[in-house]
Amino acid sequence: MIIVIKPDASEEAIEQLKNSIQDQGLIVQDIKGGNARMLGLAGDVSNVSPDTFSRSDIVESAFKVREPYKLAGRRFHPEDTVVSAGTAKIGGGHFAVIAGPCSVESEDQILSVAKDIAKSGAKLLRGGAFKPRSSPYSFHGLGLEGLELLKAAKQKTGLPIVSEILSQNHLDAFAEDVDVIQIGARNMQNFSLLVEVGKLKKPVLLKRGLSSTLEELLMSAEYLIKGGTDQVILCERGIRTFETATRNTLDLSAIPVLKQKSHLPVIADPSHGTGHWHLVEPLALAAVAAGADGLIIEVHNMPHKALCDGQQSITPEVFHHLMKKVNRVREAIKE
Ligand code: PEP
Ligand code: MN
């Protein structure tokens, strides 16, 4: 932590401040240069807030120089985390694509999509049973029945399942039935939900909030890990910008930035990231080229009849071609 001292501070007041810091077991380095005077604090400052010092009359500002996410960050965990769910692995050189409809609508729909995506090389099946919708009049998913249909599709295909949790009321059902618990963009900062989901010690897919910074995303991952799980996948799913041509702006630079700052696997969601089915493939390929450890893609057998996000859903045929191109890009960037 650095404390910047005001130019008119007296030596006596500075000494008093230094002594009070040393009394907390910290090491103080007095840095003088030109008109600047700063105190550098070393030792365990994890529980020391800069606010404690910024209140002082002689302090201009105080700030931490290290990232506040110790568990999600690479500094104390340099090796990549590999997230395992059933037969699938993501991170540390393992690449996996998650595919399936935005929402589970019927047994026929989820089974037919699951079989098709498995044939094309997807490693996990996605499907929303509980849907967060902007309108209270929209389809909100089949609920627990949707989880049952996902389980049936898993039994038939062997694909582990990914589904979004909306409420703490469903923790038991998700603990039992879901292989990777998705925390959606709208709940990225639902801190009490993060803590409770973390306690389940299961793999979690954490999506970036609509207008969240990468530091905020990593702090939410920190909640999950502190809660109890070390199996967290980060997902860039597009953020709100001034641009209206796409539903969101897929922030491709988030992929290498997150991979540099964190040991957790990073995947991209070009479906919500663009909002248009024909943009899914180019952005999927770009995300892979940018170093993503995987993708999550909305696939529907009849996108024009989908009850949720049909305009951004691709057909199983388009998905099949996309997977072939994804493999070619992965081959091309291999070291
Ligand atoms: C979803 O995956 O269907 C979803 C609602 O995603 P997000 O939370 O990123 O909007
Ligand atoms: Mn969706």
Side-chain angles (χ1 to χ4, degrees):
M1 188 180 305
I2 299 285
I3 299 175
V4 182
I5 304 292
K6 285 183 182 164
D8 58 358
S10 71
E11 277 309 317
E12 197 190 339
I14 296 173
E15 273 316 303
Q16 264 179 18
L17 179 61
K18 281 165 65 176
N19 289 336
S20 76
I21 295 166
Q22 275 158 351
D23 288 347
Q24 295 180 48
L26 299 170
I27 302 154
V28 186
Q29 221 179 359
D30 201 337
I31 308 156
K32 299 174 192 168
N35 291 333
R37 182 81 177 263
M38 288 180 281
L39 302 180
L41 271 55
D44 183 8
V45 290
S46 52
N47 291 321
V48 186
S49 163
D51 295 344
T52 327
F53 304 108
S54 39
R55 285 169 197 275
S56 158
D57 287 345
I58 63 161
V59 171
E60 201 163 86
S61 59
F63 50 89
K64 286 199 171 176
V65 285
R66 293 217 174 134
E67 309 92 6
Y69 39 85
K70 297 215 159 23
L71 301 170
R74 259 202 204 277
R75 187 181 295 274
F76 301 111
H77 189 307
E79 66 287 355
D80 285 341
T81 283
V82 179
V83 171
S84 300
T87 48
K89 282 187 171 25
I90 304 188
H94 300 275
F95 181 88
V97 176
I98 305 166
C102 180
S103 62
V104 182
E105 296 169 9
S106 68
E107 189 170 354
D108 283 353
Q109 173 236 23
I110 195 69
L111 254 182
S112 112
V113 174
K115 283 182 187 157
D116 283 341
I117 59 150
K119 266 190 236 146
S120 303
K123 293 280 189 292
L124 299 104
L125 172 67
R126 65 149 289 152
F130 297 89
K131 294 305 305 173
R133 304 300 299 273
S134 306
S135 165
Y137 307 111
S138 303
F139 174 63
H140 286 86
L142 296 179
L144 295 175
E145 189 195 333
L147 291 187
E148 288 303 317
L149 297 180
L150 281 167
K151 260 176 26 187
K154 175 183 169 176
Q155 261 166 14
K156 293 246 159 65
T157 58
L159 293 175
I161 51 184
V162 183
S163 201
E164 178 172 356
I165 191 164
L166 285 188
S167 156
Q168 293 187 37
N169 295 338
H170 300 129
L171 284 164
D172 290 344
F174 275 73
E176 178 99 7
D177 296 339
V178 174
D179 298 290
V180 180
I181 302 177
Q182 180 172 326
I183 303 267
R186 288 152 194 85
N187 268 319
M188 188 203 87
Q189 287 192 314
N190 183 339
F191 301 116
S192 52
L193 183 65
L194 293 173
V195 172
E196 294 307 316
V197 168
K199 284 185 193 163
L200 299 179
K201 299 189 191 302
K202 296 196 76 154
V204 179
L205 169 57
L206 177 64
K207 298 188 105 183
R208 181 180 183 181
L210 276 67
S211 46
S212 298
T213 64
L214 297 179
E215 179 163 314
E216 286 164 341
L217 172 62
L218 289 166
M219 289 309 285
S220 292
E222 191 82 3
Y223 268 92
L224 286 165
I225 303 173
K226 189 162 180 293
T229 181
D230 56 358
Q231 296 274 290
V232 180
I233 304 165
L234 303 171
C235 179
E236 164 56 38
R237 49 78 72 204
I239 48 172
R240 285 257 164 98
T241 67
F242 52 82
E243 183 54 71
T244 54
T246 47
R247 181 178 180 186
N248 291 294
T249 298
L250 189 69
D251 178 10
L252 288 172
S253 55
I255 298 164
V257 171
L258 288 170
K259 287 188 66 73
Q260 184 203 357
K261 292 190 181 298
S262 173
H263 52 87
L264 300 171
V266 181
I267 69 167
D269 175 348
S271 308
H272 294 87
T274 62
H276 298 283
W277 74 267
H278 58 278
L279 297 177
V280 171
E281 181 181 291
L283 271 296
L285 300 179
V288 174
D293 297 298
L295 298 164
I296 179 165
I297 295 180
E298 288 189 338
V299 180
H300 198 290
N301 52 341
M302 285 185 281
H304 58 289
K305 290 197 176 160
L307 298 180
C308 185
D309 285 349
Q311 71 290 349
Q312 68 193 31
S313 300
I314 57 174
T315 60
E317 292 73 38
V318 172
F319 180 70
H320 189 74
H321 290 293
L322 178 151
M323 287 296 281
K324 283 189 171 165
K325 288 197 182 176
V326 161
N327 289 334
R328 299 220 310 260
V329 171
R330 288 186 57 220
E331 205 50 46
I333 61 170
K334 213 151 103 188
E335 287 182 39

